[in-house]
């Protein structure tokens, strides 16, 4: 699968700004022609579709320019991090079809980062501040107003060195002191106003245990890790653009040669009707609003996978939207379109009746059955055919019958003809109802000269409906998933996200009638339920109760709703 993903033939497109930068560097012979990138997730949650965009450029650039891409876990905050996430991140990257060269951890460099911090203290470029986080924040100033120097700013080097060691000995409380770089409290770039570079965290680390009590901040770790590893192009999202001068400053203090990693920023992926931050996603899991990180409504890669989305669809979408220098929100319909487009090409068509009512073909001999041939995929001749059983009693969708139908109703209504897919043309003759007026059976007569494939079968009728034989079907559960949020931009709404949830994001149907061909399907197998949508087998399936997830409906019902 992974090879398919990476070898898809793509129409030639123009280079994005990152590819242009890499090509310029190669032309100028920078870094001895080396291209090295990294994907640097923090293992504090499962990856979401936004991360896929970062993965595609990090690994994609390395592939395109025959370079190296490493996986580096940015594990500088033990409180939120866990090996469960490390494992899932690796699986997701492989699912997207990529392979890292090496796996590194920021925690691999804690020793080197410590030594560098000590060097800065010795050079008078860092000091221990004993003020609280609030006091420090108050002194930061504003972009137009200089900050105020900390009273500890000029404390003797020896004292800072001694306290820095104490920070790591476990004898001090969290928040009692921090190490700050001594740069410029009047800098127009707020990140230069003596940024905090080390803090005390008394929580065991998933890899280093209790070895460290003082942990480097993101800004003090990221660029230096890039430097230690030999990264040439460090790609991240736009919010880090303002951090770049500090990234460069630290490396300038550290570097003993001319080599410099360089940071490039691209736009974050954001979708309508979707929230992508791990903080929000974790809340959905912790408050049990959803069933877990892989709930099929989650925008996580595990959720997408369970829902039936494919890596190919994700690649196609990301190629289409590209990488730019300005943020924007992408219509979630584009992702759904990419999923439909991909599944249309490769999944088999089957019949499943979600809301069944019985159809009796009154002139079809009792006890007789016929094997009908069903084409697996009209888009792909090589997918072949399979057999479906036809009999006197069938299940059809309740919606496909109406006793008093409006003029343009081309399905079953007394006097009207429809084609039963892959079988005969039938004419509706009436129905039976219970005391409450609910239709319990629909009646029709078939024309035995109209079997699909017969010469007469070219007779045209306006409607075709799907069906399954009562003799050759089984009951299953179907989970109809829809968008999780009702509003287009949940991130900017202002209301609590709980209030924005779509109450119909999951509808569970029981007793759906599946053609028996589906009986052997395994978790993850994908199909098109004719006229309904794309579905896949859920991992909750058991021998007695198969469960199907709706991946995406055949048509975009939201676009229609919006036009009204
Ligand atoms: P979140 O805010 O969702 O928790 P994060 O940025 O904190 O995400 P990290 O694990 O730190 O998550 O991110 C790893 C990489 O993925 C970073 O380079 C980050 O810039 C990138 N990334 C995160 N979210 C997106 C997104 N929505 N679009 C593109 N890239 C993203
Ligand atoms: Mg983060």
């Amino acid at each position: 699968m992974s090879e398919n993903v990476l070898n898809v033939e793509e129409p030639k497109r123009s280079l994005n700004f990152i590819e242009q930068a890499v090509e310029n560097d190669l032309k100028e012979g920078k870094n001895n022609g080396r291209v090295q990138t990294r994907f640097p997730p923090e293992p504090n949650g499962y990856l979401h579709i936004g991360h896929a965009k970062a993965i595609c450029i990090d690994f994609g650039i390395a592939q395109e320019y025959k370079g190296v891409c490493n996986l580096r876990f940015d594990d500088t905050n033990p409180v939120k991090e866990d090996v469960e996430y490390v494992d899932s991140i690796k699986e997701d990257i492989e699912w997207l079809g990529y392979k890292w060269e090496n796996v590194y951890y920021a925690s691999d460099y804690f020793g080197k980062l410590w030594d560098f911090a000590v060097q800065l203290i010795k050079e008078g470029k860092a000091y221990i501040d004993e003020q609280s986080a609030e006091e420090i924040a108050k002194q930061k100033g504003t972009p137009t107003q200089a900050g105020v120097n900390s009273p500890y700013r000029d404390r003797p080097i020896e004292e800072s060195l001694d306290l820095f060691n104490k920070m790591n000995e476990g004898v001090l409380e969290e928040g009692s002191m921090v190490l700050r770089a001594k740069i410029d409290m009047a800098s127009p770039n707020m990140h230069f106003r003596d940024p905090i570079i080390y803090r005390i965290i008394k929580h065991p680390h998933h890899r280093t245990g209790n070895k460290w009590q003082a942990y480097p901040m993101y800004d003090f770790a990221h660029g230096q890790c890039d430097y230690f590893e030999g990264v040439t192009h460090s790609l991240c999202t736009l919010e880090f653009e303002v951090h770049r001068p500090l990234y460069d400053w630290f490396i300038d203090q550290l570097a003993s040669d001319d080599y410099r990693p360089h940071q490039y920023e691209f736009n974050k992926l954001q979708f309508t009707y979707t929230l992508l931050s791990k903080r929000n996603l974790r809340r959905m899991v912790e408050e049990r609003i959803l069933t877990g990180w892989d709930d099929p409504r989650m925008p996580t890669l595990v959720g997408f996978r369970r829902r039936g989305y494919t890596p190919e669809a994700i690649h196609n979408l990301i190629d289409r939207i590209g990488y730019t220098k300005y943020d924007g929100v992408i219509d979630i319909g584009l992702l759904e379109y990419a999923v439909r487009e991909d599944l249309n090409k490769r999944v088999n068509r089957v019949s499943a009746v979600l809301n069944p009512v019985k159809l009796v073909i009154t002139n079809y001999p009792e006890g007789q059955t016929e094997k009908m041939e069903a084409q697996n995929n009209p888009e792909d001749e090589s997918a072949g055919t399979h057999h479906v059983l036809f009999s006197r009693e069938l299940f059809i969708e309740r919606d496909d019958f109406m006793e008093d139908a409006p003029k343009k109703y081309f399905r079953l209504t007394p006097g009207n003809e429809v084609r039963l897919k892959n079988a005969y043309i039938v004419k509706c003759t009436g129905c039976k109802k219970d005391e409450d007026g609910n239709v319990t059976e629909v009646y029709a007569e078939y024309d035995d000269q109209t079997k699909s494939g017969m010469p007469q079968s070219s007779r045209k009728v306006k409607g075709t409906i799907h069906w399954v034989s009562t003799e050759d079907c089984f009951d299953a559960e179907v989970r109809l998933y829809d968008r999780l949020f009702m509003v287009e931009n949940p991130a900017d709404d202002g209301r609590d996200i709980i209030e924005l949830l779509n109450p119909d994001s999951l509808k569970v149907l029981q007793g759906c009638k599946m053609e028996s061909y589906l009986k052997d399907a395994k978790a993850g197998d994908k199909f098109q339920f004719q006229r309904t949508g794309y579905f896949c087998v859920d991992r909750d399936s058991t021998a007695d109760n198969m469960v199907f997830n709706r991946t995406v409906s055949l048509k975009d019902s939201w676009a229609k709703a919006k036009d009204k």
Side-chain angles (χ1 to χ4, degrees):
M1 153 127 20
S2 56
E3 272 152 37
N4 276 342
V5 174
L6 303 171
N7 293 336
V8 276
E9 281 205 17
E10 295 161 16
K12 268 276 162 252
R13 52 165 178 79
S14 52
L15 298 181
N16 63 43
F17 75 97
I18 298 169
E19 292 165 319
Q20 279 169 16
V22 173
E23 295 207 354
N24 279 342
D25 289 349
L26 288 174
K27 249 186 240 144
E28 288 170 18
K30 267 197 200 155
N31 305 309
N32 301 320
R34 234 170 26 84
V35 174
Q36 184 171 326
T37 59
R38 84 288 166 268
F39 173 61
E42 183 178 0
N44 63 351
Y46 282 67
L47 296 182
H48 54 60
I49 179 69
H51 295 115
K53 179 174 178 177
I55 290 171
C56 287
I57 192 80
D58 290 329
F59 285 91
I61 286 283
Q63 254 168 15
E64 211 176 325
Y65 298 101
K66 305 207 170 7
V68 163
C69 180
N70 294 314
L71 171 58
R72 184 204 311 140
F73 289 102
D74 174 21
D75 56 348
T76 49
N77 183 356
V79 181
K80 294 185 288 169
E81 296 159 7
D82 199 90
V83 277
E84 173 195 352
Y85 303 130
V86 169
D87 295 340
S88 75
I89 288 169
K90 288 180 180 171
E91 257 175 58
D92 285 345
I93 296 171
E94 287 175 333
W95 182 67
L96 286 173
Y98 294 114
K99 190 83 201 100
W100 48 88
E101 191 85 9
N102 302 290
V103 180
Y104 297 126
Y105 294 82
S107 54
D108 295 341
Y109 310 108
F110 282 172
K112 281 180 158 184
L113 290 167
W114 177 270
D115 293 344
F116 176 44
V118 168
Q119 175 198 321
L120 290 182
I121 300 173
K122 285 184 178 162
E123 290 171 359
K125 292 175 185 161
Y127 62 94
I128 295 285
D129 195 332
E130 288 173 62
Q131 299 180 100
S132 68
E134 296 78 50
E135 282 167 313
I136 291 174
K138 259 191 251 155
Q139 295 163 356
K140 267 250 142 136
T142 67
T144 50
Q145 194 184 18
V148 175
N149 285 355
S150 161
Y152 298 98
R153 199 170 197 263
D154 294 316
R155 83 185 321 156
I157 287 171
E158 283 312 316
E159 215 176 284
S160 280
L161 280 176
D162 180 49
L163 290 172
F164 189 41
N165 279 320
K166 285 220 166 62
M167 273 179 68
N168 201 34
E169 282 166 7
V171 292
L172 300 172
E173 289 309 306
E174 283 188 15
S176 59
M177 56 184 69
V178 292
L179 182 68
R180 297 176 71 180
K182 187 172 177 179
I183 311 179
D184 180 3
M185 288 303 289
S187 170
N189 183 332
M190 299 293 284
H191 295 283
F192 275 96
R193 296 190 182 176
D194 290 11
I196 296 173
I197 58 179
Y198 263 88
R199 64 206 194 284
I200 301 170
I201 300 178
K202 297 173 101 173
H203 190 283
H205 186 281
H206 69 100
R207 293 189 76 240
T208 58
N210 291 316
K211 183 168 178 209
W212 301 93
Q213 313 283 332
Y215 287 90
M217 302 295 289
Y218 171 90
D219 276 334
F220 192 71
H222 202 89
Q224 287 92 298
C225 292
D226 284 345
Y227 177 81
F228 296 141
E229 287 171 7
V231 169
T232 56
H233 298 80
S234 180
L235 314 178
C236 62
T237 37
L238 281 174
E239 74 269 27
F240 292 104
E241 194 167 9
V242 286
H243 295 241
R244 193 191 329 135
L246 183 60
Y247 174 105
D248 292 338
W249 188 86
F250 282 130
I251 295 174
D252 284 342
Q253 309 308 307
L254 177 66
S256 51
D257 51 15
D258 289 341
Y259 150 69
R260 292 286 183 282
H262 194 80
Q263 179 182 297
Y264 300 85
E265 308 86 13
F266 60 87
N267 61 328
K268 249 191 155 130
L269 180 55
Q270 209 189 320
F271 280 117
T272 56
Y273 299 99
T274 311
L275 277 178
L276 283 188
S277 74
K278 272 182 263 175
R279 188 171 49 85
N280 285 314
L281 300 185
R282 186 176 306 103
R283 185 169 163 208
M284 301 283 177
V285 176
E286 280 170 2
E287 296 183 14
R288 295 176 193 273
I289 296 160
L290 297 179
T291 56
W293 287 95
D294 72 343
D295 188 300
R297 289 164 288 182
M298 279 286 230
T300 51
L301 298 180
V302 278
F304 277 8
R305 186 145 80 230
R306 187 166 171 199
R307 172 101 171 229
Y309 287 16
T310 58
E312 289 81 355
I314 294 172
H315 280 282
N316 287 340
L317 175 88
I318 289 174
D319 277 351
R320 254 172 232 164
I321 60 180
Y323 296 82
T324 70
K325 288 293 280 181
Y326 43 89
D327 277 318
V329 183
I330 305 285
D331 184 342
I332 190 75
L334 277 183
L335 172 63
E336 294 163 349
Y337 176 85
V339 172
R340 272 187 211 107
E341 186 184 43
D342 181 47
L343 295 177
N344 178 45
K345 281 187 290 195
R346 57 202 183 111
V347 305
N348 285 352
R349 276 56 171 170
V350 294
S351 291
V353 176
L354 302 193
N355 184 14
V357 66
K358 200 184 267 182
L359 171 69
V360 183
I361 319 283
T362 51
N363 61 342
Y364 193 84
E366 255 175 84
Q368 180 174 312
T369 57
E370 277 175 84
K371 272 188 185 170
M372 302 295 188
E373 194 162 45
Q375 203 182 0
N376 283 334
N377 186 350
E379 305 289 320
D380 176 12
E381 216 34 58
S382 71
T385 60
H386 71 275
H387 284 120
V388 290
L389 199 76
F390 187 77
S391 59
R392 188 171 192 265
E393 297 197 349
L394 310 172
F395 287 114
I396 59 167
E397 296 287 351
R398 207 161 259 287
D399 277 6
D400 284 339
F401 170 76
M402 250 179 122
E403 198 174 16
D404 295 309
K407 255 207 176 126
K408 293 212 163 152
Y409 186 80
F410 298 123
R411 292 170 276 166
L412 283 173
T413 184
N416 199 33
E417 282 192 325
V418 299
R419 173 169 292 284
L420 297 175
K421 179 85 185 165
N422 299 317
Y424 297 100
I425 291 177
V426 297
K427 184 181 217 162
C428 182
T429 54
C431 68
K432 184 163 113 189
K433 287 189 270 190
D434 66 12
E435 289 162 3
D436 302 326
N438 301 312
V439 175
T440 53
E441 281 183 358
V442 178
Y443 302 113
E445 289 177 353
Y446 85 121
D447 175 348
D448 65 0
Q449 295 304 303
T450 57
K451 187 168 167 176
S452 293
M454 280 183 171
Q456 295 90 329
S457 76
S458 57
R459 180 144 80 84
K460 286 268 179 290
V461 287
K462 282 219 162 104
T464 298
I465 65 171
H466 65 279
W467 51 273
V468 297
S469 164
T470 56
E471 315 247 324
D472 196 32
C473 69
F474 66 96
D475 280 14
E477 176 178 326
V478 170
R479 298 177 182 169
L480 298 177
Y481 289 106
D482 202 345
R483 294 176 185 172
L484 184 56
F485 293 102
M486 287 182 300
V487 297
E488 210 169 311
N489 289 307
D492 302 336
D493 189 90
R495 278 176 288 176
D496 187 85
I497 56 174
I498 307 302
E499 293 176 49
L500 311 177
L501 294 169
N502 174 8
D504 297 323
S505 65
L506 170 59
K507 276 192 216 146
V508 180
L509 307 179
Q510 305 282 354
C512 303
K513 308 291 181 187
M514 305 286 145
E515 66 164 279
S516 62
Y517 175 72
L518 285 167
K519 194 79 217 182
D520 298 326
K522 301 276 174 300
D525 286 354
K526 300 172 178 61
F527 301 93
Q528 185 195 99
F529 288 2
Q530 310 218 49
R531 299 176 60 226
T532 311
Y534 293 96
F535 289 76
C536 69
V537 181
D538 191 74
R539 63 166 170 75
D540 283 348
S541 294
T542 60
D544 306 332
N545 186 46
M546 274 184 89
V547 179
F548 290 87
N549 296 327
R550 179 167 69 194
T551 307
V552 64
S553 56
L554 274 190
K555 294 200 186 79
D556 181 354
S557 54
W558 288 71
K560 266 188 275 156
K562 245 168 74 178
D563 289 345
K564 272 183 193 160

